[in-house]
Amino acid sequence: MSAGLTDSELIHRIIGGETAYYAELVKRYQNFVFTIAMRYTESREDAEEIAQDSFVKAYKNLSDFRGESRFSTWLYTIATTTSLSFLRKKKQKVHSLDVEQVFEAADQQQSHFQAYSVENKSKIQMVNQAIALLSADDANLISLFYKGEQSLEEIGTILGIDPNTVKVKLHRARTRLREKMQTHFKEEVANLKN
């Protein structure tokens, strides 16, 4: 059963000619890629097109995946680049990384989000609103580390910078996020501590 195989094992089999296993990789990462695409466009249809294009590109270039980082890191890079290329072609405005629609779409797509209570959703929404107030670079770092669950090394690979630089920038981004939350959501933050 392909569900028990690791990403590396699936990739090895796909490259070896067992292309049907690619469907399992798509199944594992379809919500992840769709959510990335929704960060760049408000249109669900455009996000679906971006996600599909991302998986086609990943399939065509799968033999280039060297396994030096997680497959999700490599796929994140493809999805981000595909999103930006798509928007340039359509000459659309690139939206903030964490617009509310991203999380509404993720909520609809991923059943584990639906298990959150109303209170948790409001906390998440508050944090997302605070992230949206950050610069694009800070928001991207916070999203990659906390939402994308990427390591400092993986973020460095994605952004083309040294992992130690990522660590410093992430620390500064967290500080600015904390400041935004205390400035714009002072009462809510106080309620969280109680």
Side-chain angles (χ1 to χ4, degrees):
M1 182 92 192
S2 62
L5 298 174
T6 66
D7 290 350
S8 298
E9 291 168 336
L10 286 172
I11 291 165
H12 180 72
R13 289 188 177 203
I14 295 162
I15 292 172
E18 298 178 70
T19 56
Y21 281 104
Y22 193 65
E24 177 62 29
L25 277 179
V26 172
K27 182 179 171 186
R28 286 181 188 181
Y29 292 101
Q30 63 188 359
N31 293 334
F32 175 70
V33 172
F34 179 80
T35 302
I36 292 167
M38 282 298 293
R39 292 176 180 167
Y40 293 94
T41 180
E42 293 179 345
S43 165
R44 185 176 183 81
E45 292 78 21
D46 287 348
E48 288 171 354
E49 186 175 337
I50 290 167
Q52 184 176 3
D53 289 349
S54 298
F55 280 115
V56 169
K57 287 178 185 174
Y59 179 77
K60 287 180 179 177
N61 296 294
L62 198 56
S63 60
D64 294 336
F65 177 67
R66 295 184 301 273
E68 294 171 358
S69 62
R70 290 189 299 185
F71 178 71
S72 61
T73 303
W74 186 74
L75 189 58
Y76 178 93
T77 305
I78 291 173
T80 301
T81 317
T82 303
S83 297
L84 294 171
S85 297
F86 180 87
L87 292 174
R88 272 194 298 273
K89 286 179 190 171
K90 288 196 83 166
K91 295 183 180 176
Q92 291 181 345
K93 177 182 162 223
V94 177
H95 293 279
S96 171
L97 280 177
D98 292 295
V99 291
E100 190 174 306
Q101 290 87 348
V102 173
F103 295 97
E104 288 174 1
D107 200 24
Q108 293 167 3
Q109 289 286 316
Q110 300 176 10
S111 62
H112 67 273
F113 280 140
Q114 294 170 351
Y116 283 136
S117 67
V118 173
E119 182 181 343
N120 283 339
K121 283 187 180 182
S122 66
K123 288 177 188 175
I124 291 168
Q125 188 175 20
M126 177 186 65
V127 172
N128 292 333
Q129 288 172 348
I131 290 171
L133 296 170
L134 295 171
S135 70
D137 289 342
D138 285 350
N140 197 20
L141 276 171
I142 296 282
S143 295
L144 283 169
F145 189 75
Y146 291 104
K147 295 177 185 171
E149 297 180 359
Q150 304 294 313
S151 69
L152 297 176
E153 291 77 17
E154 290 165 334
I155 295 171
T157 301
I158 291 167
L159 300 178
I161 57 178
D162 183 73
N164 287 329
T165 305
V166 173
K167 185 176 183 179
V168 171
K169 287 180 177 257
L170 183 61
H171 173 74
R172 291 177 182 160
R174 281 192 293 242
T175 301
R176 286 189 278 269
L177 177 62
R178 190 177 314 112
E179 290 168 357
K180 295 286 185 196
M181 290 187 70
Q182 290 170 346
T183 301
H184 296 279
F185 304 99
K186 190 174 187 175
E187 188 175 311
E188 290 89 340
V189 170
N191 288 338
L192 290 177
K193 292 177 181 176
N194 294 336

